[in-house]
Amino acid sequence: MNDKKEHLIGLDFIRIFACIVILLYHLGISSGGFLLVCTFFTLSGYLSCYSAFNNKDFSLKKYYKNLFTKFYIPLLVVVSITLIIAKLIPNLVWLNLKPETTSVIFGYNNFWQLFTNQDYFTKNVNSPFMHFWYIAILFQFRLIFPLLLKFCKNIDNQVGKHTSTVFLGIFAAASTLYFYRMSLKYDIMSVYCDTFTRFFSIIFGILLAVIHRKYNFKISNKFINHKKLVYIFYFILLTFLCKCVSINADSYALYMILATIISVRLIEYSTYKPAKDFKFITSLANITYEIYLVQYPILFYINNTNLSDNLKIIITIILTFIFAIILHFLTAKKFTKKIINYIKTFIITAIIAIGGIIFANEKDHTEEMKELETRLTENQKIIEQNYKEYVSNLNKEKENLDSILESINNDESLLADKVAQLHVVGVGDSVML
């Protein structure tokens, strides 16, 4: 990656591969597709750091402007369209609309999901924003990335040029250990969606970028030629795919660490040598972010129909790619004719404005849900108390009955008295009388 004109098609393959497997996971086809989020985190860390190092005129103003236009605007458009559609569908149940949308807009959806005990791993699609926990962590990382970059450059200048590399290596190892230890103590949601436990994958990507930028450390052709390297790349990719199909969330921790390490190796192989540019592959890779944004809202609305499961999957895939292309056209693609760009800007502004109005007028049901939850908890306590009293009374009656039976066994003359005390429960039969 020494030349700006170089294009590494292998990175495009990785992005497409990760995006498709995650989509299949959301559709319930790939049980281990959640592992590919580690790949996206690693790749994001790598590309962010390498691009910053390559950019000699790196400035905070330009960085945050690109973050806003390329990352945040498409997110706002998807959120706005989702809210607009929600208002058009009668009897749609989405009680968390206001607080959940707020958490998405302000980039803390992962913490909101943890606080409200949401479960990303359930197959019930009860929200169109369940997958935005990843976007929240990515957004948080990109906000603080310039600070991390500045810190690395400062310690290199003040201590030594290898200091940041050593620091990042220790940081990557420590954050991985922290992730694993937390996985032993807490449930999967508490670990999977937490910023601090998931940061290890991003740090691995940053570390690889620093190594590449500083030392140009890539696989040497003295040990392996490029043709063999390509075979290794696709072999690992295929093996990774097979694992993602068979693994479930019960054994996630070690596999997520392994997924991160494999992702690092895939990126390493991809950056070995620029390959021929395939326009279709590059174009598809360029809309992977949009594909991720739109897939869950589409899945949420399709699941509220009466279509068959197979038809839901097919329609979801088709609509995901169609709307991803449209979203990319609106927010990312630039045209030479200014009039087209003005029209696009107007459409984007109108969509976000309408979505903003709907969001502002939406009622927050958080307090009502808390009251309902409190009532349900109190009712549950009452039910448990009544059940305990019922069991206690039942045991007392059983003890009394056992005592009576024991006394009858000891003195059969008491049997006639006990029978005489019984109520008549049948009439018309001399035997019953």
Side-chain angles (χ1 to χ4, degrees), residues 24 47 91 122 130 141 149 160 172 182 185 191 306 332 337 379 381 384 393 400 425 429:
L24 295 178
L47 292 175
N91 303 322
T122 59
M130 281 296 291
F141 157 68
L149 182 66
M182 291 300 103
K185 293 182 179 181
V191 178
N306 295 322
K337 292 184 178 180
N379 290 340
K381 290 180 179 178
E384 291 176 357
N393 294 332
N400 292 335
V425 293
D429 193 302

Side-chain angles (χ1 to χ4, degrees), residues 10-19 39 43 233 266-267 270:
L11 293 181
D12 290 341
F13 275 113
I14 294 174
R15 291 167 63 188
I16 295 169
F17 167 72
C19 182
T39 302
L43 194 58
F233 173 81
L266 286 174
I267 295 171
S270 299

Side-chain angles (χ1 to χ4, degrees), residues 56-90:
K56 296 180 180 180
D57 300 324
F58 180 82
S59 66
L60 289 177
K61 182 179 180 181
K62 186 176 180 181
Y63 173 82
Y64 286 116
K65 181 182 178 181
N66 288 335
L67 180 64
F68 181 77
T69 56
K70 296 181 180 180
F71 183 88
Y72 196 64
I73 289 296
L75 175 65
L76 288 181
V77 171
V78 172
V79 169
S80 299
I81 293 176
T82 304
L83 295 181
I84 294 170
I85 296 175
K87 281 300 176 183
L88 297 176
I89 300 178

Side-chain angles (χ1 to χ4, degrees), residues 82 85-86 89-94 124-128 296-309 312 316:
T82 304
I85 296 175
I89 300 178
N91 303 322
L92 179 68
V93 179
W94 184 9
N124 297 322
V125 185
N126 53 11
S127 163
Y296 224 87
I298 292 172
L299 182 61
F300 173 74
Y301 290 122
I302 293 296
N303 271 9
N304 280 277
T305 65
N306 295 322
L307 300 173
S308 65
D309 291 340
K312 285 180 180 179
T316 299

